[in-house]
Amino acid sequence: MLMATRDEKVKALVYVAALAPDEGETVADVFYRAEPHPQAPKLAPDKHGLIYLPEEAFAAAFAQHASSEEQVVLAAVQRPISPACITVAMDRPLWKDRPTWFLLAEQDRMIIHDTQCFMARRMQAKVRSHSVDHAPLLTAPSVVVDIIREAINEVVAGRPRLSLAGRQDS
């Protein structure tokens, strides 16, 4: 999970099949707020304390729309995550201070639909729902590009956004 910088050059955020904890929450809190998708793999640290997706998870849950060759490559080049990445509480998230878009991945088997909807609603994100898996950067890149372009165009046009307090920001 990439964390956005607080740099003022960051004008908007686009969440693509991502988890978005609030202040004081962890990634694990958000992920496990509901029962995980039945095809999502059970994740646990290995003997070195790192978490990897099992190879079969790429076809079952992570990138089921990818070709078998792409799934093999994804499994081979994956980078492990530390449990600290999902168990450390967030500071104030940038989505509270920037216009935000959220790609709701309708066929995501890693982050269930209800959790995605909950996060997007809480962020007051502009939601774009598509029939994509958890890895649309690979399996549906044009969908991702379209949402990023939309965010850029709106920020460049200077359209105001309703803040969480309900007032208009410029």
Side-chain angles (χ1 to χ4, degrees):
M1 180 168 135
L2 297 175
M3 303 309 261
T5 176
R6 293 211 98 44
D7 190 315
E8 288 303 314
K9 292 177 188 172
V10 177
K11 301 295 183 192
L13 303 171
V14 178
Y15 285 80
V16 176
L19 292 164
D22 199 352
E23 190 168 0
E25 285 181 328
T26 68
V27 169
D29 291 336
V30 179
F31 183 78
Y32 291 111
R33 70 179 295 279
E35 197 63 34
H37 190 284
Q39 290 177 282
K42 305 269 186 269
L43 301 177
D46 66 10
K47 65 182 179 181
H48 303 291
L50 300 172
I51 300 170
Y52 287 89
L53 279 177
E55 190 170 331
E56 61 277 2
F58 290 90
F62 189 82
Q64 69 270 20
H65 296 163
S67 70
S68 56
E69 293 83 14
E70 290 168 327
Q71 292 166 357
V72 168
V73 171
L74 287 170
V77 301
Q78 73 173 302
R79 297 184 67 185
I81 61 171
S82 165
C85 291
I86 61 173
T87 59
V88 173
M90 285 285 297
D91 292 331
R92 179 180 174 87
L94 194 56
W95 54 257
K96 288 188 172 187
D97 302 315
R98 301 292 190 277
T100 305
W101 280 255
F102 192 97
L103 170 57
L104 197 148
E106 295 170 1
Q107 296 184 14
D108 194 327
R109 295 178 186 165
M110 296 295 293
I111 305 171
I112 65 166
H113 185 267
D114 288 349
T115 296
Q116 292 181 66
C117 290
F118 164 78
M119 290 183 297
R121 205 173 26 255
R122 177 170 71 176
M123 292 189 296
Q124 295 185 356
K126 294 175 179 139
V127 177
R128 301 300 176 254
S129 186
H130 292 277
S131 184
V132 297
D133 61 18
H134 189 69
L137 284 168
L138 172 68
T139 60
S142 63
V143 168
V144 177
V145 169
D146 288 347
I147 294 170
I148 293 170
R149 282 186 176 144
E150 178 184 336
I152 291 167
N153 290 337
E154 286 200 30
V155 168
V156 168
R159 295 186 184 153
R161 171 185 186 248
L162 285 179
S163 73
L164 293 180
R167 61 179 171 73
Q168 281 202 334
D169 297 330
S170 327

